Amino acid sequence: MTISRRYLFKVGLAAGAALSIPSILRAQTGPVDARSVRMAIGDLQLFDPFFTTAGQTANHALAIYDTLFALDSKLTPQPQMIGKWGVSDDKKTYTFELRDGLGWHDGTPVTAADCVASIRRWGQVDAGGKLVLERAQDISKKDDKTFTIALKEPLGLLIDQMATLAGTSLFIMREGDADRPPTEQVTANIGSGPFKFNEALAKPGASFAYDRNENYVPRQEPSDGYAGGKVVKVDRVIWENITDQQTAFAALQAGELDFVHGPPADFYSMIESDPNLALQVLDKSGDDMCMRLNHLQKPFDNVKARQAMLHLIDQEAFLRVISPDPKYGRTVTSIFGNSTLYSNDENTSWYKKGGDPEKAKQLFKEAGYSGEKVVILQTTSWAEQGNASQLVAAALRKIGVNAELAPSDWPGVVKRRANKGPVETGGWSIFITSDSDFVQGDPISAIFPNASGEKAWFGWPKNDEYEALRAKWPDVETLEERKTLARQMQKIWWDFVGDVRLGQTLVPTARRETLTGLIEMPQRIVIWNVQKG
């Protein structure tokens, strides 16, 4: 093996960090023991899964809340909090009965009223939930353990929407919390799930602790994806908010962390060669990197400017930055991703290996671009996003666009992306994010393929013709009909350019060999079922 100067430099960085970091972590989190797991999953700052779509918040919610239904490893919805359910002959009335043993962390029982309030709150923020509320004639409790959803017309996807991973998952909260509008954060962190949030050990900005809920009653079925028995095999999981990836990697090497989500790609070879460490891909469908354009403000309020970005992007170049190992990346040109039943090649002639900068320059000119500042939100706490943002800025500058990076940590990006105003008042033009490739097959709940204007996700794309087709999705009965509809939707999407895809990546996690039982599923990171050998 030939050892390059670059490799020696990386080893030196990791070794130097490994010498200096562990004592700091010990001071923050206390001694390591076999019944505690330390994980660096990301920077958790918001706790209410209905208030934000941030992935870290959803991971937090999976630990402390429970769901009515959950997807198994075959991505089929299974009852979770539900014991029995049925539907009337006319397919309009669904009756649900809660299973025995469900209780809140404060000692009170979970009731049907909690479920009704949670469904109504979910229905205000999730696209699938909004569809449920639109079709619902009534959602009400029948008794303390039973509630019904009465529909105006049949909705064959009702259970699928209640179990979805796309958009905002239907987490069940206490009635008093769920009665709040979703624009008002729930901060109590009291759920009915397998872990309790330890308020006493919470150190915002540093770490959070989750203790095994001794009163939690798992389902009797074996653990299967997100479904089945949620069995907790450790006493405590400590979530370290380590935003510097080299620091996290060094702590993992030194045994001060058990798990690091998304280690730097440059470190993959070192992890694979370390007998104490392992790389593991939990989400086999991977993530689609996406560039969201602000449709409300110049220059991307003009379709020609948005089309310019389609031609400007060189996906191969982006993949070399965000996923250098070809095992973990590939191009993606379908709004339905690469791994779903509805992936297709309709209206993808814009794709060209290497991109087409001259075509992009011409389209910016046709759009009437006259030097307006294009602000790109760049995070300093997610290396792949930060590097991709720099690449976008460089590509724009090469064709004469006045591109400017706005660096911050990821929570700063999450906060600023909600600003719909012009860049002069704190708005933005471009930000890069990712979402599971798998969920792109659910255009009702997935956050990217929504073009309902200011009701859509950040970027606020709007196209009425596309939305009319998307509205047909829940009522299409056969797979072939839905595939045809998907092609029609994609043709329109790439004409008005709802967003721009940068590539599909598989993001491995790094773990100590002693940490086992990690659940391999799309989208989320689960902390039940893990154990230390």
Side-chain angles (χ1 to χ4, degrees), residues 259-517:
F259 176 100
V260 173
H261 179 58
D266 280 351
F267 289 165
Y268 289 175
S269 60
M270 284 190 290
I271 294 168
E272 290 173 326
S273 64
D274 188 327
N276 297 310
L277 304 180
L279 279 178
Q280 183 176 355
V281 177
L282 301 181
D283 183 353
K284 305 299 186 184
S285 65
D287 290 335
D288 290 349
M289 293 291 285
C290 177
M291 181 167 61
R292 300 292 289 187
L293 308 173
N294 189 338
H295 289 233
L296 303 181
Q297 302 295 336
K298 290 183 178 297
F300 299 119
D301 59 343
N302 188 299
V303 66
K304 293 285 188 181
R306 300 196 299 271
Q307 290 171 349
M309 298 305 294
L310 271 186
H311 293 278
L312 180 65
I313 294 306
D314 175 0
Q315 286 200 27
E316 287 83 0
F318 276 87
L319 286 170
R320 287 193 293 271
V321 167
I322 61 180
S323 186
D325 189 327
K327 295 198 302 284
Y328 298 114
R330 60 178 292 196
T331 59
V332 57
T333 57
S334 176
I335 66 171
F336 293 91
N338 284 330
S339 65
T340 76
L341 293 172
Y342 310 109
S343 179
N344 67 85
D345 61 358
E346 185 70 30
N347 195 16
T348 56
S349 60
W350 49 266
Y351 173 77
K352 181 180 179 181
K353 189 172 183 178
D356 191 346
E358 286 304 312
K359 178 69 171 179
K361 187 174 182 178
Q362 173 194 333
L363 286 166
F364 265 112
K365 184 177 180 180
E366 293 176 12
Y369 177 72
S370 56
E372 295 94 346
K373 186 184 294 185
V374 172
V375 173
I376 304 164
L377 303 185
Q378 176 198 23
T379 181
T380 56
S381 54
W382 176 12
E384 290 76 14
Q385 195 273 8
N387 294 339
S389 298
Q390 292 186 57
L391 195 56
V392 170
L396 284 168
R397 289 165 185 158
K398 283 181 181 178
I399 63 170
V401 174
N402 179 18
E404 178 180 292
L405 291 166
S408 71
D409 58 12
W410 181 246
V413 172
V414 170
K415 182 177 180 180
R416 186 168 177 179
R417 71 186 182 184
N419 189 329
K420 295 180 179 179
V423 296
E424 293 79 12
T425 59
W428 56 278
S429 310
I430 294 171
F431 82 92
I432 294 170
T433 188
S434 67
D435 195 15
S436 171
D437 187 89
F438 155 75
V439 305
Q440 305 314 308
D442 179 6
I444 296 301
S445 292
I447 56 178
F448 290 164
N450 181 323
S452 57
E454 296 202 30
K455 294 180 180 179
W457 203 59
F458 305 107
W460 309 285
K462 180 174 174 58
N463 186 280
D464 293 340
E465 184 181 5
Y466 171 88
E467 282 298 293
L469 291 176
R470 192 169 73 94
K472 295 180 180 180
W473 192 270
D475 300 312
V476 173
E477 295 183 358
T478 71
L479 175 62
E480 289 307 312
E481 287 176 321
R482 197 165 281 136
K483 285 183 175 181
T484 298
L485 182 60
R487 296 186 72 90
Q488 295 170 346
M489 291 167 64
Q490 182 165 298
K491 181 180 188 304
I492 296 171
W493 185 271
W494 289 137
D495 281 341
F496 79 92
V497 192
D499 60 23
V500 178
R501 307 297 162 98
L502 304 179
Q504 178 194 20
T505 64
L506 297 179
V507 182
T509 61
R511 61 173 174 83
R512 304 288 298 179
E513 281 282 1
T514 52
L515 186 71
T516 59

